[in-house]
Amino acid sequence: EIRKCFIPEPGCQFFSADYSQIELRVMAHLSEDEHMMQVFREGKDLHAATAATIYKKGIDEVTRDERTKSKRANFGIIYGITVFGLAERLEIPRDEAKMLIDGFFETFPQVHDYMERSKEQVREKGYAETVFHRRRYLPDIHSHNATVRGFAERNAINAPIQGSAADIIKVAMVRIFERFKREGIRSKMILQVHDELNFSVYPEEKGRVEAIVLEEMQNAYHLRVPLVADCGWGNNWLEAH
């Protein structure tokens, strides 16, 4: 409901564009997992594909509940979630949480290798790095305190993923701003939230703004899998997204 409060300038429409599963796409790029890259290249639903492997059924037979569990497991895993943590979050038994995590790594084995490699690289270098070589220093990876060390290890895995996603949308924002200025677009970029950009758009510029935004977002960085952006229009943020 709070999104209804966000409105465009008088006489304008609200336009929202957001990346589709950008962090998992970055994970596919960094890990070079063949199966994950194939799912994205073929335009399939990654969460349904994971659920199909875990629950041993065809992708078309996956239920909404199974897909939801897989989705939350998929995103949790790239943040280094534990069996206990996933069981708590999904309110499911620990053996089912273990099945989801094991099933993920069975489906995408190179992701597990990437995670172990990420921790090892931070132990050697002292920092994690995004695709644009922005660094996050993690000295706690050498801590004798297991809890503190575990937090640094999860950051070693996640910082390159979340950090790269953040870098990519910043590049897109700069390029969109430059295109608007160069092409005399009066519409404005007004808000950025995680993987989403929002605009106040004059009706006569709708087609040009949508084309520019999607083009620049999808070409901000060339991953090993396609970058995909979805969009919507409305009189406020809630309607547009």
Side-chain angles (χ1 to χ4, degrees):
E1 288 298 299
I2 289 170
R3 289 184 189 226
K4 283 184 183 175
C5 302
F6 290 81
I7 57 172
E9 292 181 4
C12 292
Q13 282 189 281
F14 202 103
F15 175 59
S16 175
D18 69 308
Y19 281 116
S20 169
Q21 300 175 356
I22 187 169
E23 291 179 357
L24 290 166
R25 290 173 191 272
V26 170
M27 171 64 95
H29 172 81
L30 293 173
S31 67
E32 298 183 51
D33 185 275
E34 291 297 335
H35 188 204
M36 190 178 271
M37 289 194 294
Q38 183 184 355
V39 169
F40 282 127
R41 285 169 182 164
E42 292 176 358
K44 290 180 181 172
D45 181 337
L46 184 85
H47 304 312
T50 311
T53 305
I54 292 168
Y55 293 103
K56 309 286 190 289
K57 54 170 68 176
I59 197 166
D60 299 328
E61 298 166 3
V62 170
T63 67
R64 174 180 271 186
D65 181 59
E66 288 166 346
R67 183 189 179 276
T68 300
K69 284 179 180 175
S70 289
K71 177 180 180 177
R72 294 179 77 173
N74 291 352
F75 283 114
I77 286 162
I78 65 174
Y79 298 125
I81 201 165
T82 61
V83 169
F84 177 76
L86 187 63
E88 290 276 292
R89 185 182 295 183
L90 291 179
E91 296 180 349
I92 57 174
R94 288 189 199 178
D95 56 350
E96 188 178 354
K98 185 177 187 303
M99 181 187 77
L100 284 165
I101 292 174
D102 290 348
F104 178 91
F105 289 128
E106 189 183 315
T107 311
F108 309 118
Q110 283 155 286
V111 171
H112 186 267
D113 297 341
Y114 160 77
M115 289 177 161
E116 293 306 312
R117 196 164 63 245
S118 296
K119 290 186 280 189
E120 198 51 51
Q121 285 173 351
V122 172
R123 286 188 199 105
E124 288 172 15
K125 295 180 180 178
Y127 60 84
E129 203 170 19
T130 72
V131 293
F132 287 92
H133 306 296
R134 188 162 57 87
R135 296 178 181 180
R136 175 163 184 186
Y137 286 87
L138 296 164
D140 286 344
I141 200 138
H142 298 295
S143 172
H144 295 299
N145 181 311
T147 304
V148 172
R149 187 173 65 250
F151 185 73
E153 287 175 347
R154 286 193 292 279
N155 276 320
I157 295 163
N158 183 244
I161 298 166
Q162 266 194 311
S164 295
D167 289 351
I168 289 167
I169 200 162
K170 286 186 182 75
V171 169
M173 290 169 76
V174 170
R175 290 183 182 173
I176 290 165
F177 175 75
E178 288 173 347
R179 283 279 300 275
F180 278 14
K181 198 163 59 172
R182 196 163 63 242
E183 298 183 26
I185 299 285
R186 291 192 301 142
S187 302
K188 294 176 184 173
M189 187 175 355
I190 54 174
L191 185 66
Q192 181 253 336
V193 185
H194 302 303
D195 57 1
E196 176 185 354
L197 297 179
N198 297 297
F199 301 80
S200 180
V201 181
Y202 288 96
E204 65 273 17
E205 294 180 343
K206 276 181 74 171
R208 288 170 69 202
V209 166
E210 183 171 322
I212 290 168
V213 170
L214 294 182
E215 183 183 328
E216 296 302 342
M217 285 179 76
Q218 291 175 163
N219 291 289
Y221 186 80
H222 291 289
L223 298 173
R224 294 182 176 90
V225 297
L227 263 179
V228 175
D230 302 314
C231 64
W233 292 87
N235 294 313
N236 57 54
W237 191 15
L238 182 66
E239 285 182 16
H241 187 81

